[in-house]
Amino acid sequence: MRTLTRPLSAAALLGAAVLALTACSTEPAHEYTVSGDAGLWLDDGYSAGVSETFDAAGRVCGVADGVFVDQVQAENGQVSVRAIDTATGDEVWTLDDALCGEAPGGQVAVASLGPDGSHIELADIATGDAAPLLDADAVVESLSVLGETEHGWIVQYATGSETRVGVHASPDRPAWSGAFPGQRQCTLLDGHVGCAGETSFTVLTAERGEVTAENAELGTLRITWLSDGYVLQDPTASEAPDPVGALYALDGNEVRLIEQTEDVPPAPAGALFTSADYMLDDAVAVTAAGSAVATVDRDGIEFHGDDAAEPGSAALAVSAGGQALAVDTGDAVVLLGADGDELAQLGPSGSEVHVVDGWLVVFDPASWTTTVFAPAG
């Protein structure tokens, strides 16, 4: 799964009850039911810090077998895709006039940029060997492969006027394909695909592309995906007792209202949650097994390491075992170890942290630079 949301990239939790999940707490820890590709969590090797750093020339689309793939734009405007060996810094393979997107299983999606359309393929990161997926009639501006069904790969791509998502096994044999106006970001849910733009969203079944829920007039509403549903919130709502939003199942049926008295903590790092977990408490980072690593209260985020450190205002990424956490302290983006000690400086406050196949990729919007951090362990 890729949260395009990531995302949208992940889902937020609502707290009806606040659990005291501190390092010295005697309360039993809740185990969350989480879903997601293993690449959504940081490699456990980050618990030992970072070893080397690599400057990427643009967007990083994948990392596997000591090779990372990025998208480069030259001074003349030409866009290319490169695979870089992290041991030597050498180019392993390159594609000119192409762009890339994330895909599961040591692969990246690549699209040619011809004048009459784009040829989309699925390429092996280590070798560059590619298999065709589909041909697009227009030039692709972004793409990703969300996952796989028994009928083929779930592919999302956007052109200047629309976003398309569908299941493809070969260029001339899609199981299904649908188009939406404008730019949308799609997320793989529990047997469904959720695609959201600034003012609209659609939920479809992954196997057949049947629409189960949609809203074409979101206005100020904000959508948060869950593994088995979604939440619509109105961040402008301020007068009690009016509800601030509602939780829905993937078929579009309302499950419950979200009242003014309920806190809305930040989105969690590392997973999509179920509706039941969303209503439970205030975790903002969980392990791959579903244990809370960090929670939030009125004083900020607390990391449940040995010393229950209080790292700052935003949990950005967590390792699969929970022994490393990337946070924005307000002064800088740092990597913390299990004892709450700082393991590495990742960038200035406000840097964007992406987890690509378990590796830390940090974009600094101030300098417009992207850095790949290799795990030390």
Side-chain angles (χ1 to χ4, degrees), residues 258-343:
I258 299 167
E259 303 297 337
Q260 286 282 353
T261 56
E262 297 177 288
D263 294 327
V264 183
L272 287 176
F273 292 91
T274 64
S275 299
D277 284 342
Y278 182 89
M279 295 185 287
L280 183 68
D281 64 24
D282 52 1
V284 291
V286 297
T287 67
S291 298
V293 176
T295 55
V296 67
D297 59 25
R298 293 181 179 181
D299 296 324
I301 288 176
E302 183 175 48
F303 178 37
H304 305 298
D306 293 342
D307 299 325
E310 296 181 2
S313 59
L316 305 175
V318 64
S319 64
Q323 301 303 305
L325 181 72
V327 300
D328 192 328
T329 66
D331 296 319
V333 175
V334 299
L335 182 69
L336 300 178
D339 56 3
D341 289 342
E342 183 179 307
L343 298 174

Coordinates of all heavy atoms in Angstrom, one line a residue, residues 258-343:
I258 N -18.7 13.2 15.0 CA -17.6 13.6 15.8 C -17.9 14.9 16.4 O -18.2 15.9 15.8 CB -16.3 13.8 14.9 CG1 -15.9 12.4 14.2 CG2 -15.1 14.3 15.7 CD1 -14.9 12.6 13.1
E259 N -18.0 14.9 17.8 CA -18.5 16.1 18.5 C -17.4 17.1 18.8 O -16.2 16.8 18.7 CB -19.1 15.6 19.8 CG -20.3 14.6 19.6 CD -21.4 15.2 18.8 OE1 -21.6 16.4 18.8 OE2 -22.2 14.4 18.2
Q260 N -17.8 18.3 19.2 CA -16.8 19.4 19.5 C -15.9 19.0 20.6 O -14.8 19.5 20.7 CB -17.6 20.7 19.8 CG -18.3 21.4 18.6 CD -17.3 22.2 17.8 OE1 -16.1 22.3 18.2 NE2 -17.7 22.7 16.7
T261 N -16.4 18.2 21.6 CA -15.6 17.9 22.8 C -14.5 16.9 22.5 O -13.6 16.7 23.4 CB -16.6 17.3 23.8 OG1 -17.2 16.1 23.3 CG2 -17.6 18.3 24.3
E262 N -14.4 16.3 21.3 CA -13.4 15.4 21.0 C -12.2 16.0 20.4 O -12.3 16.9 19.5 CB -13.9 14.3 20.0 CG -15.1 13.5 20.6 CD -15.7 12.5 19.6 OE1 -16.3 13.0 18.7 OE2 -15.4 11.3 19.8
D263 N -11.0 15.7 20.9 CA -9.8 16.2 20.4 C -9.4 15.5 19.1 O -9.8 14.4 18.8 CB -8.6 15.9 21.4 CG -8.8 16.7 22.7 OD1 -9.3 17.8 22.6 OD2 -8.4 16.2 23.7
V264 N -8.7 16.3 18.2 CA -8.3 15.8 16.9 C -6.8 15.9 16.9 O -6.3 16.9 16.5 CB -9.0 16.5 15.8 CG1 -8.5 15.9 14.4 CG2 -10.5 16.5 15.9
P265 N -6.1 14.8 17.2 CA -4.6 14.8 17.2 C -4.1 14.8 15.8 O -4.8 14.5 14.8 CB -4.2 13.6 18.0 CG -5.4 12.7 17.8 CD -6.6 13.5 17.7
P266 N -2.7 15.0 15.6 CA -2.1 14.9 14.3 C -2.2 13.5 13.7 O -2.5 12.6 14.4 CB -0.7 15.3 14.6 CG -0.7 16.0 15.9 CD -1.8 15.3 16.7
A267 N -2.0 13.5 12.4 CA -2.0 12.2 11.7 C -0.9 11.3 12.2 O 0.2 11.8 12.4 CB -1.9 12.4 10.2
P268 N -1.1 10.0 12.3 CA 0.0 9.1 12.8 C 1.0 8.7 11.7 O 0.6 8.7 10.6 CB -0.8 7.9 13.3 CG -2.0 7.9 12.5 CD -2.3 9.3 12.2
A269 N 2.2 8.4 12.2 CA 3.2 8.0 11.2 C 3.2 6.4 11.2 O 3.1 5.8 12.2 CB 4.6 8.4 11.7
G270 N 3.2 5.9 10.0 CA 3.4 4.5 9.8 C 2.3 3.5 9.6 O 2.5 2.4 9.5
A271 N 1.0 4.1 9.4 CA 0.0 3.1 9.2 C -1.4 3.8 8.9 O -1.5 5.0 9.1 CB -0.2 2.3 10.5
L272 N -2.3 3.0 8.3 CA -3.7 3.3 8.3 C -4.3 2.5 9.5 O -4.0 1.4 9.8 CB -4.4 2.9 7.0 CG -4.0 3.7 5.8 CD1 -4.7 3.1 4.6 CD2 -4.5 5.1 5.9
F273 N -5.3 3.2 10.2 CA -5.9 2.6 11.3 C -7.4 2.2 11.0 O -7.9 2.6 10.0 CB -6.0 3.5 12.5 CG -4.6 3.8 13.1 CD1 -3.9 4.8 12.7 CD2 -4.1 3.0 14.1 CE1 -2.6 5.1 13.2 CE2 -2.9 3.2 14.6 CZ -2.1 4.3 14.2
T274 N -7.9 1.3 11.8 CA -9.3 0.9 11.6 C -10.2 2.0 12.3 O -9.7 2.9 13.0 CB -9.7 -0.4 12.3 OG1 -9.4 -0.2 13.8 CG2 -8.8 -1.5 11.8
S275 N -11.5 2.0 12.0 CA -12.4 3.0 12.6 C -12.4 2.8 14.1 O -12.5 3.8 14.8 CB -13.8 2.7 12.0 OG -13.9 2.9 10.6
A276 N -12.4 1.6 14.6 CA -12.4 1.4 16.1 C -11.2 2.1 16.7 O -11.3 2.7 17.8 CB -12.5 -0.1 16.4
D277 N -10.0 1.9 16.1 CA -8.8 2.5 16.7 C -8.8 4.0 16.6 O -8.3 4.7 17.4 CB -7.6 2.0 16.0 CG -7.2 0.6 16.4 OD1 -7.7 0.1 17.5 OD2 -6.5 -0.1 15.7
Y278 N -9.4 4.5 15.5 CA -9.5 6.0 15.3 C -10.3 6.6 16.4 O -9.9 7.7 16.9 CB -10.2 6.3 14.0 CG -10.3 7.7 13.6 CD1 -9.2 8.3 12.9 CD2 -11.4 8.5 13.9 CE1 -9.3 9.7 12.6 CE2 -11.5 9.8 13.6 CZ -10.4 10.4 12.9 OH -10.5 11.7 12.6
M279 N -11.3 6.0 16.9 CA -12.1 6.5 18.0 C -11.5 6.3 19.4 O -12.1 6.7 20.4 CB -13.5 6.0 17.9 CG -14.2 6.4 16.6 SD -16.0 5.8 16.6 CE -15.8 4.1 16.3
L280 N -10.4 5.6 19.5 CA -9.9 5.1 20.8 C -9.1 6.1 21.6 O -9.5 6.5 22.7 CB -9.1 3.9 20.6 CG -8.6 3.2 21.9 CD1 -9.8 2.7 22.7 CD2 -7.6 2.1 21.6
D281 N -8.0 6.6 21.0 CA -7.2 7.6 21.8 C -6.3 8.4 20.9 O -6.7 8.8 19.8 CB -6.4 6.9 22.9 CG -5.4 5.9 22.4 OD1 -5.0 6.0 21.2 OD2 -5.0 5.0 23.1
D282 N -5.1 8.7 21.4 CA -4.3 9.8 20.8 C -3.0 9.4 20.3 O -2.0 10.2 20.4 CB -4.2 10.9 21.8 CG -3.7 10.5 23.1 OD1 -3.4 9.3 23.3 OD2 -3.6 11.3 24.0
A283 N -2.8 8.1 19.9 CA -1.5 7.7 19.3 C -1.2 8.5 18.0 O -2.0 8.7 17.2 CB -1.4 6.2 19.1
V284 N 0.1 8.9 17.8 CA 0.5 9.5 16.6 C 1.6 8.8 15.9 O 2.1 9.2 14.8 CB 0.9 11.0 16.9 CG1 -0.3 11.8 17.2 CG2 2.0 11.1 17.9
A285 N 2.1 7.7 16.5 CA 3.1 6.8 15.8 C 2.9 5.4 16.4 O 2.9 5.2 17.6 CB 4.5 7.3 16.0
V286 N 2.9 4.4 15.6 CA 2.8 3.0 16.0 C 3.8 2.1 15.3 O 4.2 2.5 14.2 CB 1.4 2.4 15.8 CG1 0.3 3.2 16.6 CG2 1.0 2.5 14.3
T287 N 4.1 1.0 15.9 CA 5.0 0.0 15.3 C 4.2 -0.8 14.2 O 3.0 -0.7 14.1 CB 5.6 -0.9 16.3 OG1 4.5 -1.7 16.8 CG2 6.2 -0.2 17.5
A288 N 5.0 -1.6 13.5 CA 4.4 -2.4 12.5 C 3.5 -3.5 13.1 O 2.5 -4.0 12.5 CB 5.4 -3.1 11.6
A289 N 3.8 -3.8 14.4 CA 2.9 -4.8 15.2 C 1.7 -4.1 15.8 O 0.9 -4.8 16.4 CB 3.8 -5.5 16.2
G290 N 1.7 -2.7 15.8 CA 0.5 -2.0 16.3 C 0.7 -1.5 17.7 O -0.3 -1.0 18.3
S291 N 1.9 -1.4 18.2 CA 2.1 -0.8 19.6 C 2.3 0.7 19.4 O 3.0 1.2 18.5 CB 3.3 -1.4 20.3 OG 3.1 -2.8 20.5
A292 N 1.8 1.5 20.4 CA 2.0 3.0 20.4 C 3.4 3.3 20.7 O 4.0 2.8 21.6 CB 1.0 3.6 21.4
V293 N 4.0 4.2 19.9 CA 5.3 4.6 20.1 C 5.3 6.1 20.6 O 6.2 6.5 21.4 CB 6.2 4.6 18.8 CG1 7.6 5.2 19.0 CG2 6.3 3.1 18.3
A294 N 4.4 6.9 20.2 CA 4.3 8.3 20.6 C 2.8 8.6 20.6 O 2.0 8.2 19.8 CB 5.0 9.2 19.6
T295 N 2.5 9.4 21.6 CA 1.1 9.9 21.8 C 1.1 11.5 21.9 O 2.2 12.1 22.1 CB 0.4 9.3 23.0 OG1 1.2 9.6 24.2 CG2 0.2 7.8 22.8
V296 N 0.0 12.1 21.8 CA -0.1 13.5 21.9 C -1.1 13.9 23.0 O -2.1 13.2 23.2 CB -0.5 14.1 20.6 CG1 -1.9 13.7 20.2 CG2 -0.3 15.6 20.5
D297 N -0.8 15.0 23.7 CA -1.7 15.6 24.6 C -1.6 17.1 24.5 O -1.0 17.6 23.6 CB -1.5 15.1 26.1 CG -0.1 15.4 26.6 OD1 0.5 16.4 26.1 OD2 0.4 14.7 27.5
R298 N -2.1 17.9 25.4 CA -2.1 19.3 25.3 C -0.7 19.9 25.4 O -0.5 21.0 25.0 CB -3.0 19.9 26.4 CG -4.5 19.6 26.2 CD -5.3 20.3 27.3 NE -6.8 20.0 27.0 CZ -7.7 20.4 27.8 NH1 -7.4 21.2 28.9 NH2 -9.0 20.1 27.6
D299 N 0.2 19.1 26.0 CA 1.6 19.6 26.1 C 2.5 19.3 24.9 O 3.6 19.6 24.8 CB 2.2 19.1 27.4 CG 1.5 19.6 28.6 OD1 1.1 20.7 28.6 OD2 1.4 18.8 29.6
G300 N 1.9 18.5 23.9 CA 2.7 18.1 22.7 C 2.8 16.6 22.6 O 2.1 15.9 23.3
I301 N 3.8 16.2 21.8 CA 4.0 14.8 21.5 C 4.9 14.2 22.5 O 6.0 14.8 22.8 CB 4.5 14.6 20.1 CG1 3.3 14.9 19.1 CG2 5.0 13.2 19.9 CD1 3.8 14.8 17.7
E302 N 4.6 13.0 23.0 CA 5.5 12.3 23.9 C 5.9 11.0 23.3 O 5.1 10.2 22.9 CB 4.8 12.0 25.3 CG 5.7 11.4 26.3 CD 5.0 11.2 27.6 OE1 3.9 10.7 27.7 OE2 5.7 11.6 28.6
F303 N 7.3 10.8 23.3 CA 7.8 9.6 22.7 C 8.1 8.6 23.9 O 8.7 9.0 24.9 CB 9.2 9.9 22.0 CG 9.9 8.7 21.5 CD1 9.2 7.6 20.9 CD2 11.3 8.6 21.5 CE1 9.9 6.6 20.4 CE2 12.0 7.6 21.0 CZ 11.3 6.5 20.4
H304 N 7.5 7.4 23.8 CA 7.6 6.4 24.9 C 8.9 5.6 24.9 O 8.8 4.4 24.8 CB 6.3 5.6 24.9 CG 5.1 6.4 24.9 ND1 4.8 7.2 25.9 CD2 4.1 6.6 24.0 CE1 3.7 7.9 25.7 NE2 3.2 7.5 24.5
G305 N 10.0 6.3 24.9 CA 11.3 5.6 25.1 C 11.5 5.4 26.6 O 10.7 5.6 27.4
D306 N 12.7 5.0 26.9 CA 13.1 4.7 28.3 C 12.9 5.8 29.2 O 12.5 5.7 30.4 CB 14.5 4.2 28.4 CG 14.7 2.8 27.7 OD1 13.7 2.1 27.4 OD2 15.8 2.5 27.3
D307 N 13.1 7.0 28.7 CA 13.0 8.2 29.5 C 11.8 9.1 29.2 O 11.6 10.2 29.7 CB 14.2 9.1 29.4 CG 15.5 8.4 29.8 OD1 15.4 7.6 30.7 OD2 16.6 8.6 29.2
A308 N 10.8 8.5 28.4 CA 9.6 9.2 28.0 C 9.9 10.6 27.6 O 9.4 11.6 28.1 CB 8.6 9.2 29.2
A309 N 10.8 10.8 26.6 CA 11.2 12.1 26.2 C 10.0 12.8 25.5 O 9.1 12.2 25.0 CB 12.4 12.0 25.2
E310 N 10.1 14.1 25.5 CA 9.1 14.9 24.8 C 9.7 15.6 23.6 O 10.3 16.7 23.8 CB 8.5 15.9 25.8 CG 7.8 15.3 27.0 CD 7.2 16.3 27.9 OE1 7.3 17.5 27.6 OE2 6.6 15.9 28.9
P311 N 9.6 15.0 22.4 CA 10.4 15.5 21.3 C 9.9 16.8 20.6 O 10.7 17.5 20.0 CB 10.4 14.3 20.3 CG 9.1 13.7 20.6 CD 8.9 13.8 22.1
G312 N 8.7 17.1 20.7 CA 8.3 18.3 19.9 C 6.8 18.2 19.4 O 6.0 17.6 20.0
S313 N 6.6 18.8 18.3 CA 5.2 19.0 17.8 C 4.7 18.1 16.8 O 3.5 18.1 16.5 CB 5.2 20.5 17.3 OG 6.1 20.6 16.2
A314 N 5.6 17.3 16.1 CA 5.1 16.5 15.0 C 6.0 15.2 14.9 O 7.2 15.3 14.8 CB 5.2 17.3 13.7
A315 N 5.3 14.1 14.9 CA 5.9 12.8 14.7 C 5.8 12.5 13.2 O 4.7 12.5 12.6 CB 5.2 11.7 15.4
L316 N 7.0 12.3 12.5 CA 7.0 12.3 11.0 C 7.2 10.9 10.5 O 6.8 10.6 9.4 CB 8.1 13.2 10.5 CG 8.0 14.7 11.0 CD1 9.2 15.5 10.5 CD2 6.7 15.3 10.5
A317 N 7.9 10.0 11.2 CA 8.2 8.7 10.8 C 8.6 7.8 11.9 O 9.2 8.4 12.9 CB 9.2 8.6 9.7
V318 N 8.4 6.5 11.9 CA 8.7 5.6 13.0 C 9.3 4.3 12.4 O 8.8 3.9 11.3 CB 7.5 5.4 13.9 CG1 6.4 4.7 13.2 CG2 7.9 4.6 15.2
S319 N 10.2 3.7 13.1 CA 10.8 2.4 12.6 C 9.8 1.3 12.9 O 8.9 1.4 13.7 CB 12.1 2.1 13.3 OG 11.9 2.0 14.7
A320 N 9.9 0.2 12.2 CA 9.0 -0.9 12.3 C 8.9 -1.4 13.7 O 7.8 -1.8 14.2 CB 9.4 -2.0 11.3
G321 N 10.0 -1.5 14.4 CA 10.0 -2.0 15.8 C 9.8 -0.9 16.8 O 9.8 -1.2 18.0
G322 N 9.7 0.4 16.4 CA 9.5 1.5 17.3 C 10.7 2.0 18.1 O 10.6 2.8 19.0
Q323 N 11.9 1.6 17.6 CA 13.1 2.0 18.3 C 13.7 3.3 17.7 O 14.8 3.8 18.2 CB 14.2 0.9 18.3 CG 13.7 -0.4 18.9 CD 13.3 -0.2 20.4 OE1 14.1 0.3 21.2 NE2 12.1 -0.5 20.7
A324 N 13.1 3.9 16.7 CA 13.6 5.2 16.2 C 12.4 6.0 15.7 O 11.4 5.4 15.2 CB 14.5 4.9 15.0
L325 N 12.4 7.3 15.9 CA 11.3 8.2 15.6 C 11.9 9.4 15.0 O 12.8 10.1 15.6 CB 10.5 8.5 16.8 CG 9.3 9.3 16.7 CD1 8.2 8.6 16.0 CD2 8.8 9.8 18.1
A326 N 11.4 9.9 13.8 CA 11.8 11.1 13.3 C 10.7 12.2 13.7 O 9.5 11.9 13.5 CB 11.8 11.0 11.7
V327 N 11.2 13.3 14.2 CA 10.2 14.3 14.7 C 10.7 15.7 14.3 O 11.9 15.9 14.1 CB 10.1 14.3 16.3 CG1 9.6 12.9 16.8 CG2 11.4 14.6 17.0
D328 N 9.8 16.6 14.3 CA 10.1 18.0 14.1 C 9.9 18.7 15.5 O 8.9 18.7 16.1 CB 9.1 18.7 13.1 CG 9.5 20.0 12.7 OD1 10.2 20.7 13.5 OD2 9.2 20.4 11.5
T329 N 11.0 19.1 16.1 CA 11.0 19.7 17.4 C 10.6 21.2 17.4 O 10.4 21.7 18.5 CB 12.4 19.6 18.0 OG1 13.3 20.5 17.3 CG2 13.0 18.2 18.0
G330 N 10.4 21.7 16.2 CA 10.2 23.2 16.1 C 11.4 23.9 15.8 O 11.4 25.0 15.2
D331 N 12.6 23.4 16.2 CA 13.9 24.0 15.8 C 14.6 23.2 14.7 O 15.3 23.8 13.9 CB 14.8 24.0 17.0 CG 14.3 24.8 18.2 OD1 13.8 25.9 17.9 OD2 14.4 24.4 19.3
A332 N 14.3 21.9 14.6 CA 15.0 21.0 13.6 C 14.2 19.8 13.5 O 13.4 19.4 14.3 CB 16.4 20.8 14.0
V333 N 14.4 19.0 12.4 CA 13.9 17.7 12.2 C 15.0 16.7 12.6 O 16.1 16.8 12.1 CB 13.4 17.4 10.8 CG1 13.0 16.0 10.6 CG2 12.3 18.3 10.4
V334 N 14.8 15.8 13.6 CA 15.8 15.0 14.1 C 15.3 13.6 14.2 O 14.1 13.3 14.2 CB 16.2 15.4 15.5 CG1 16.8 16.9 15.5 CG2 15.1 15.4 16.5
L335 N 16.3 12.6 14.3 CA 16.0 11.2 14.5 C 16.3 10.9 16.0 O 17.4 11.2 16.4 CB 16.8 10.4 13.6 CG 16.6 8.9 13.6 CD1 15.3 8.5 13.1 CD2 17.7 8.1 12.8
L336 N 15.4 10.3 16.7 CA 15.5 10.0 18.1 C 15.6 8.4 18.2 O 15.0 7.7 17.5 CB 14.3 10.4 18.9 CG 14.1 11.9 19.0 CD1 12.8 12.2 19.8 CD2 15.3 12.7 19.5
G337 N 16.4 8.0 19.2 CA 16.5 6.6 19.6 C 15.6 6.2 20.6 O 14.8 7.0 21.1
A338 N 15.6 5.0 21.1 CA 14.6 4.4 22.0 C 14.7 5.1 23.4 O 13.7 5.2 24.1 CB 14.8 2.9 22.2
D339 N 15.9 5.7 23.7 CA 16.0 6.4 25.0 C 15.7 7.8 24.9 O 15.8 8.6 25.9 CB 17.5 6.2 25.5 CG 18.5 6.7 24.5 OD1 18.1 7.2 23.5 OD2 19.7 6.5 24.8
G340 N 15.2 8.3 23.7 CA 14.9 9.7 23.5 C 16.1 10.5 23.1 O 15.9 11.7 22.9
D341 N 17.3 10.0 23.1 CA 18.4 10.8 22.7 C 18.5 11.0 21.2 O 18.0 10.1 20.4 CB 19.7 10.0 23.1 CG 19.9 10.1 24.6 OD1 19.3 10.9 25.3 OD2 20.7 9.2 25.1
E342 N 19.0 12.1 20.8 CA 19.1 12.4 19.3 C 20.2 11.6 18.7 O 21.3 11.5 19.1 CB 19.4 13.9 19.2 CG 19.5 14.4 17.7 CD 19.8 15.9 17.6 OE1 19.1 16.7 18.3 OE2 20.8 16.2 16.9
L343 N 19.8 10.9 17.6 CA 20.7 10.1 16.8 C 21.3 10.8 15.6 O 22.4 10.5 15.2 CB 20.0 8.8 16.3 CG 19.5 7.9 17.4 CD1 18.7 6.7 16.8 CD2 20.6 7.3 18.2

